[in-house]
Amino acid sequence: MQTGLYVAISSQMALEKRLNTLADNIANSNTVGFRGTEVKFNQMLGDTKPVKVAYVSKGEEFLNTSNGSLSRTGSALDFAIKGDAWFQIETPSGPALTRDGRFTLTDTGDLVTIRGYPVLDAGGAPIQLNGNGGEITVGADGALHQGGVAVASLGLYEADFSKGFMRLDNSAVQPAAQAEPVVDRFDVGVMQGFVEESNVNAVQEMSQLIMVTRAFDNITALLRDGEGSLEEAIKTLGGAR
C-alpha cells in the first residue's frame, strides 16, 4: 500500500487550504474592519496495521481575534470598537457581525452600513435617527445622542466562532452560534470619528504564502518521484522489457 503517497496528498490538501486563506487575508489587508483567517491542523492516525501512519487533517478555520489599528477619520458616523465585540447588521443572509463602523444615514433616518445594511441595536432592531435632529454623538457604551438627548444605542455583540462561521461582504461574519449582546463589559467601548483597519499584517502573510507555496511545490515533486518509482517497480516485477 502506497501510504507515503496518501500522506503526501493529505499534506497537499492542507497546504492548499492554507494557501487560500493566506491569499484571502492578503487581498483584504487594507479592508476596514477585516479580521484574518487562520487554520489549525491536527495529526490523524490511519488504521494501517501493523504500522500506524500519520496524516494531516483537513484543517479548521478560525478568526484572528487581535484588534486592528485605529485610524482617525473625524466623521461623526464613523465608529470603532475598543475590545472584543462586534456591531450587528441585517444582511440578506440574516443578522451578521462586523467591525466595519463606517455608517451613514438614509433620507428616512435609518443608520446603515456603506453597503446599505441596517445597523441594529442591542435588541436586534434597526437604528433610526432624525436626519435633522442636530449633531450626533456617541458615548463609550454606544449610546447615541442628538441635541444632548439619548435617541438610540449601537448594539455591541459577542459570539463563539469556534462552532463555525461564514464570511459575508462589509467585513461581516455570520457565526454558527447565535450572537449575544455585550453586558457589563468595562473592557468594551465605542470610539467616534475612528475606524478599525484590517488586523492582517500583509508582509507577514506574504512571507507565509511564499513558505507554503514552496512546501506545496516540494511535495508535488515528491509525489512525482514516488509515482515514477512505483511505475519502475511494476515494470521490473512484471518482467516488462
Side-chain angles (χ1 to χ4, degrees), residues 10-232:
S10 73
S11 298
Q12 272 198 319
M13 293 173 64
L15 289 171
E16 182 180 21
K17 185 166 190 174
R18 187 59 180 136
L19 280 170
N20 291 335
T21 58
L22 286 169
D24 184 59
N25 287 346
I26 293 171
N28 287 282
S29 60
N30 292 317
T31 301
V32 172
F34 183 83
R35 284 195 163 178
T37 305
E38 306 290 341
V39 183
K40 179 182 179 181
F41 297 102
N42 294 311
Q43 176 179 284
M44 299 174 61
L45 294 178
D47 187 16
T48 53
K49 298 178 181 180
V51 180
K52 290 186 177 180
V53 180
Y55 300 92
V56 183
S57 70
K58 64 179 182 179
E60 294 182 8
E61 295 184 358
F62 65 94
L63 285 178
N64 180 344
T65 57
S66 62
N67 292 343
S69 59
L70 299 184
S71 177
R72 181 188 291 274
T73 66
S75 173
L77 291 179
D78 281 347
F79 305 103
I81 298 177
K82 296 186 299 181
D84 190 14
W86 302 73
F87 299 115
Q88 189 170 59
I89 59 178
E90 186 65 44
T91 75
S93 300
L97 304 178
T98 183
R99 299 276 296 193
D100 185 352
R102 296 174 295 172
F103 302 148
T104 60
L105 278 181
T106 66
D107 294 337
T108 57
D110 296 316
L111 188 66
V112 298
T113 70
I114 58 173
R115 297 296 179 90
Y117 301 148
V119 182
L120 308 181
D121 61 19
I127 295 175
Q128 190 166 45
L129 304 173
N130 185 352
N132 299 315
E135 181 184 8
I136 298 172
T137 59
V138 65
D141 59 352
L144 293 164
H145 298 77
Q146 282 188 291
V149 178
V151 292
S153 182
L154 291 169
L156 299 179
Y157 288 78
E158 56 188 350
D160 180 8
F161 294 99
S162 65
K163 297 180 180 179
F165 62 91
M166 179 175 64
R167 283 198 181 276
L168 305 174
D169 59 356
N170 221 133
S171 295
V173 289
Q174 195 172 54
Q178 184 175 359
E180 298 292 339
V182 171
V183 179
D184 296 330
R185 288 273 303 277
F186 298 103
D187 58 330
V188 172
V190 178
M191 295 181 64
Q192 186 175 24
F194 290 83
V195 294
E196 181 184 5
E197 304 293 343
S198 170
N199 71 350
V200 173
N201 184 323
V203 175
Q204 182 178 341
E205 295 292 295
M206 185 63 72
S207 298
Q208 291 189 35
L209 182 65
I210 293 172
M211 294 173 60
V212 173
T213 301
R214 287 176 177 171
F216 189 91
D217 291 341
N218 290 338
I219 293 176
T220 300
L222 285 173
L223 282 170
R224 191 181 301 115
D225 292 343
E227 190 174 331
S229 298
L230 179 60
E231 289 179 357
E232 288 298 322

